[in-house]
Amino acid sequence: MNTSDSSHANRLNVLIVDDDPIAIEMLDYFLQEAGYNVERAANGKQALEKMRTFSPRIIISDVEMPEMNGIELCQTVRERHSTQYTYFILLTCHSDLKSVLLGLDSGADDYLSKPFHHEELRLRLEGGRRLLMLEGRDMMIFSLAKLAESRDTDTGTHLERIREYSKVLATELMNWPKFECVVDAQFVELIYLTSPLHDIGKVGIPDSVLLKPGKLTSEEFDIMKRHTLIGGETLYASANAYPEAGFIKMALDITLKHHERWDGTGYPFQLRGEQIPLCARIVAIADVYDALTTKRVYKDAYTHEEAARIIYDSRGTHFDPDLVDAFANVEEQMRAIRTRLDDAPPVASPTQPEKKSQETELMSASFTSS
Amino acid sequence: MSTTNAEIHTIPPIFDREGFLLRCMGNQALAKKLAVVFAGTLPKEQRDLHSAIETNELDQVRRIAHRVRGTAKNICAVPLAEAAFLVEHAAEQRDVALLYTHLESLKKQVEAILDELASGA
Ligand SMILES: [Fe+2]
């Protein structure tokens, strides 16, 4: 499609799917006026055909069409799990509540009643744009975390698990009267978003320390500990540059303080108890649980039961007692995440190569995973 | 919708030119182009509708009527949209006798709008 205006920097690809020639002409006109790249298809089948060469960020589709209808198209698009999210708007008849519900159920994001009004169309598209931008932000954050982690060779899906563990623990706290005012749905969403950043400071740790296969000397451990400060510094600068971005504040708290311990023996500041922000206390337990249940070059993975026992034994020393209790309540969910997002063959038996003392194991787990 | 200046009780015009132009954001060229596309598609829709009835494909009848209804609404031809709706509904109910009655009035509406479009071109 030719576009008349080149002043729009971010031209999103939009695919319009409708067998009504007037609707498609109108949509095409409005969308191009609004600065979108537009392609058309007359039914779902044609739309899928078109998507081999055209990758739409937004699809606006009629429901009732020959060959393949809009609901089936939406389902097919959702089943594909493509790398980027496609915002799906269904065009429905006013009278047809059933197809609206069916459409939303099939994964559509929004709907627009026919005949649409251009102002309403514009607003719906804005909504889609916002969501796609948020997705972009979330993906950037995760990519950044992944990049930082990529130097570390044996961490696999550690970040994917950390955010899931953190989410499960935070969600559990939502139901506790004590945390009612602190942990809400937004907190849960933010911790999911920012927990993968906990170790981004590792980018500043030299290879000789970060990639050392065996145990670290105490000098090396001191260097390793600096990852909290390096990450914290980076995010502190961002937090000052973008004071309105609340997620950076949480990312900063987590990065800087996820190795603090409830009893004040952690690092870098030896904070104790509730001096440690809740988000960092949550990630601390998630991080250690993951380190314990993950195989390393120098150690086998602990079974879930072993790891859980170590966590229970550290109630009130390493970990916030409330969080250990929360962990107990969601233990099965933690185990399920561990199994689902496994990147190594499951542990066959709880035999460890050499049985270290619990404290040594916990120490090494919490700083080699850092 | 298209009833911006009209009273609620007045019969909607065969083709609400003003309303349609508003829908086209005042773009005369677009309105004209769409009117031509519309006039071009209606006879074929009519033919397809009749052949679907002859072969008793009521589901196809319903689909075509549904599309005509949508197109008519888009172009601000409310009486045509209503007539198409009745056909769509009768096909859905699989009431053939009723379907024929409504097809007759749909045919009249199609003729009326084509005349109207031709006269105002
Ligand atoms: Fe760490």
Side-chain angles (χ1 to χ4, degrees):
Chain A
M1 291 285 114
N2 227 349
T3 42
S4 53
D5 178 356
S6 57
S7 64
H8 299 86
N10 295 318
R11 283 182 176 276
L12 282 187
N13 283 353
V14 182
L15 179 61
I16 44 182
V17 194
D18 204 322
D19 60 336
D20 173 347
I22 302 299
I24 217 152
E25 282 290 342
M26 275 187 159
L27 282 167
D28 195 332
Y29 175 78
F30 293 144
L31 291 167
Q32 298 220 28
E33 280 289 300
Y36 292 94
N37 282 327
V38 186
E39 284 284 347
R40 320 162 158 202
N43 59 54
K45 225 172 165 181
Q46 269 190 25
L48 292 175
E49 193 67 33
K50 198 113 245 166
M51 285 169 74
R52 289 175 181 208
T53 51
F54 180 77
S55 165
R57 296 312 313 277
I58 300 177
I59 295 176
I60 303 176
S61 173
D62 187 19
V63 174
E64 182 87 46
M65 289 177 296
E67 305 267 0
M68 179 190 266
N69 69 35
I71 310 275
E72 291 162 338
L73 173 64
C74 185
Q75 281 165 347
T76 311
V77 168
R78 288 293 176 253
E79 278 161 12
R80 284 182 163 183
H81 298 297
S82 58
T83 47
Q84 56 177 11
Y85 190 74
T86 309
Y87 194 79
F88 206 107
I89 303 175
L90 273 178
L91 283 170
T92 62
C93 288
H94 242 320
S95 50
D96 201 359
L97 179 67
K98 209 175 80 189
S99 68
V100 170
L101 295 177
L102 210 60
L104 294 174
D105 195 44
S106 71
D109 298 286
D110 203 354
Y111 69 96
L112 191 59
S113 293
K114 286 172 101 175
F116 61 88
H117 188 275
H118 42 79
E119 192 53 22
E120 192 184 354
L121 173 66
R122 193 184 64 75
L123 292 171
R124 303 275 174 176
L125 286 166
E126 276 307 307
R129 224 184 219 294
R130 271 198 299 276
L131 186 128
L132 293 173
M133 268 169 55
L134 279 179
E135 189 211 22
R137 179 198 73 178
D138 295 3
M139 262 170 22
M140 282 301 291
I141 292 174
F142 196 68
S143 311
L144 189 66
K146 270 284 184 196
L147 179 67
E149 196 201 30
S150 65
R151 288 181 56 222
D152 218 339
T153 47
D154 62 353
T155 48
T157 42
H158 168 63
L159 297 184
E160 283 82 348
R161 289 191 300 269
I162 285 294
R163 65 178 179 185
E164 297 291 342
Y165 295 144
S166 302
K167 184 180 177 179
V168 162
L169 288 167
T171 308
E172 163 65 18
L173 295 184
M174 264 171 93
N175 307 319
W176 290 33
K178 183 176 174 183
F179 295 103
E180 212 169 41
C181 301
V182 197
V183 184
D184 54 8
Q186 203 191 7
F187 181 98
V188 174
E189 204 177 300
L190 278 184
I191 203 164
Y192 184 80
L193 181 67
T194 55
S195 53
L197 289 170
H198 67 287
D199 274 343
I200 66 162
K202 278 183 171 181
V203 289
I205 303 299
D207 281 355
S208 58
V209 176
L210 184 70
L211 304 179
K212 185 177 173 183
K215 285 195 84 82
L216 302 179
T217 64
S218 80
E219 291 77 25
E220 289 166 338
F221 187 33
D222 282 341
I223 294 172
M224 186 60 128
K225 282 175 171 175
R226 290 211 315 251
H227 80 276
T228 52
L229 293 166
I230 296 168
E233 241 173 85
T234 310
L235 288 165
Y236 186 74
S238 305
N240 281 336
Y242 303 97
E244 72 288 354
F247 69 94
I248 299 182
K249 170 81 173 75
M250 186 186 273
L252 172 62
D253 278 343
I254 290 173
T255 306
L256 198 53
K257 297 163 187 170
H258 69 280
H259 287 288
E260 297 290 356
R261 292 174 175 226
W262 186 254
D263 62 8
T265 62
Y267 63 88
F269 304 128
Q270 288 82 49
L271 300 178
R272 74 173 55 232
E274 290 182 0
Q275 287 178 325
I276 310 162
L278 179 63
C279 55
R281 272 139 57 201
I282 292 173
V283 173
I285 204 163
D287 195 25
V288 169
Y289 174 73
D290 197 59
L292 290 172
T293 53
T294 301
K295 186 178 170 11
R296 294 276 191 254
V297 183
Y298 53 85
K299 75 159 187 66
D300 258 358
Y302 274 114
T303 59
H304 167 83
E305 286 72 18
E306 269 290 328
R309 192 183 53 77
I310 293 172
I311 286 170
Y312 294 141
D313 289 349
S314 311
R315 186 181 186 279
T317 52
H318 191 150
F319 303 119
D320 176 349
D322 282 339
L323 273 162
V324 173
D325 297 345
F327 176 89
N329 291 348
V330 295
E331 217 187 288
E332 283 315 308
Q333 290 179 65
M334 301 292 276
R335 184 211 296 268
I337 293 165
R338 180 59 253 193
T339 312
R340 179 163 58 84
L341 295 173
D342 201 8
D343 44 31
V347 190
S349 70
T351 50
Q352 265 72 46
E354 53 177 284
K355 205 74 178 172
K356 299 170 194 151
S357 83
Q358 213 182 81
E359 184 56 22
T360 335
E361 186 57 39
L362 192 54
M363 275 296 285
S364 86
S366 71
F367 77 80
T368 44
S369 101
S370 324
Chain B
M1 263 187 353
S2 54
T3 47
T4 36
N5 302 320
E7 301 285 346
I8 298 296
H9 59 266
T10 55
I11 300 163
I14 293 168
F15 173 47
D16 176 2
R17 224 171 262 282
E18 210 174 290
F20 180 52
L21 193 58
L22 278 174
R23 290 216 61 214
C24 293
M25 293 161 84
N27 185 325
Q28 296 267 10
L30 175 68
K32 196 156 185 173
K33 183 183 171 192
L34 293 181
V36 171
V37 172
F38 181 63
T41 55
L42 269 188
K44 186 177 181 305
E45 297 281 34
Q46 279 280 88
R47 278 197 304 277
D48 289 351
L49 205 52
H50 280 280
S51 56
I53 288 163
E54 274 159 26
T55 51
N56 206 31
E57 292 169 272
L58 291 186
D59 212 42
Q60 177 71 353
V61 171
R62 184 189 60 77
R63 248 198 307 271
I64 298 169
H66 179 85
R67 186 167 57 223
V68 171
R69 167 158 75 107
T71 316
K73 274 189 181 174
N74 266 324
I75 208 116
C76 297
V78 176
L80 176 64
E82 281 167 358
F85 173 70
L86 292 175
V87 172
E88 183 187 342
H89 189 67
E92 199 173 4
Q93 301 295 308
R94 311 194 83 76
D95 187 337
V96 180
L98 193 63
L99 185 60
Y100 275 102
T101 315
H102 291 321
L103 268 174
E104 223 16 71
S105 59
L106 178 66
K107 195 176 155 205
K108 282 192 189 122
Q109 288 301 336
V110 169
E111 282 160 8
I113 184 93
L114 287 176
D115 281 351
E116 179 72 20
L117 288 172
S119 74

